[in-house]
Amino acid sequence: MVERPRRADARRNEESLLEAAAAAFVASGVEAPVRDIAARAGVGTGTIYRHFPTRADLIIAVYRHQVDACAAAGPALLAGGATPHTALARWIDLFVDFLVTKHGLAAVLQSDNAGFEALHAYFLDRLLPVCAELLDAATASGEIRSDVEAYALMRGVGNLCVGADSDPRYDARRLVGLLVAGLRQAD
């Protein structure tokens, strides 16, 4: 059986549902009540369950949607006319947004749900090449040092974002900004 392409309005509806779920997850964590997500999306809870039969299905879909958006942003920022270092810094800001809004996701990812196991690989497969492309462009332009690897940078940013959930005085954005500034080529 050949799967028909989905209608544009169906894709838009699912996207708005994913955006609403993402906003609810930012506000309340991944355990946000489905009724809150439905209210944000302007739909009934049945619509959510029709698209995403389990909470795990919804969490996975939101996560993948956000990874895809972050991945698409890199090339767009490079093409946007900013310097490669500026494009990298803006992309890192988006990456930080992505990381610090994952309240409760780490615990869920440790569960035994097979769907969650593939998320980390998906994350790396989609985002590492984008980060590498941005780093390569900034290196080629002479703006940053040439000894920075995409994985190490993403891991460093991720580690700096860990404390953002537990300490209101901890400013992950400032620390990440210092890290990105430190990539600059010494004069």
Side-chain angles (χ1 to χ4, degrees):
M1 180 175 168
V2 176
E3 189 174 317
R4 289 187 343 211
R6 293 184 351 192
R7 294 185 340 240
D9 63 329
R11 285 191 308 273
R12 278 191 307 274
N13 290 342
E14 185 172 323
E15 185 154 329
S16 78
L17 213 154
L18 291 171
E19 294 294 335
F25 292 167
V26 168
S28 306
V30 295
E31 295 301 323
V34 172
R35 70 180 173 279
D36 292 354
I37 296 167
R40 284 178 186 266
V43 300
T45 56
T47 300
I48 293 177
Y49 287 119
R50 189 169 40 257
H51 287 280
F52 310 103
T54 68
R55 179 173 296 277
D57 294 332
L58 178 61
I59 293 168
I60 289 168
V62 167
Y63 185 86
R64 290 176 72 95
H65 178 72
Q66 291 180 319
V67 166
D68 291 342
C70 194
L77 288 167
L78 266 179
T83 68
H85 181 267
T86 301
L88 174 65
R90 288 182 183 157
W91 186 81
I92 292 291
D93 285 343
L94 294 172
F95 184 57
V96 169
D97 289 344
F98 171 79
L99 294 174
V100 299
T101 59
K102 300 295 166 265
H103 306 295
L105 184 62
V108 173
L109 290 174
Q110 301 301 321
S111 76
D112 59 0
N113 185 308
F116 291 123
E117 291 175 14
L119 282 180
H120 186 68
Y122 184 77
F123 169 88
L124 291 175
D125 289 347
R126 293 287 286 141
L127 298 182
L128 265 177
V130 173
C131 186
E133 178 184 4
L134 290 160
L135 280 170
D136 289 347
T139 299
S141 72
E143 292 180 280
I144 68 167
R145 338 161 20 131
S146 61
D147 62 344
V148 181
E149 294 179 5
Y151 181 80
L153 178 59
M154 289 176 61
R155 183 74 189 236
V157 170
N159 287 341
L160 289 174
C161 291
V162 169
D165 250 0
S166 59
D167 185 349
R169 298 171 300 162
Y170 184 82
D171 188 353
R173 288 189 190 291
R174 176 160 164 60
L175 292 173
V176 170
L178 291 171
L179 173 66
V180 172
L183 297 175
R184 287 262 188 211
Q185 187 70 278
D187 292 328

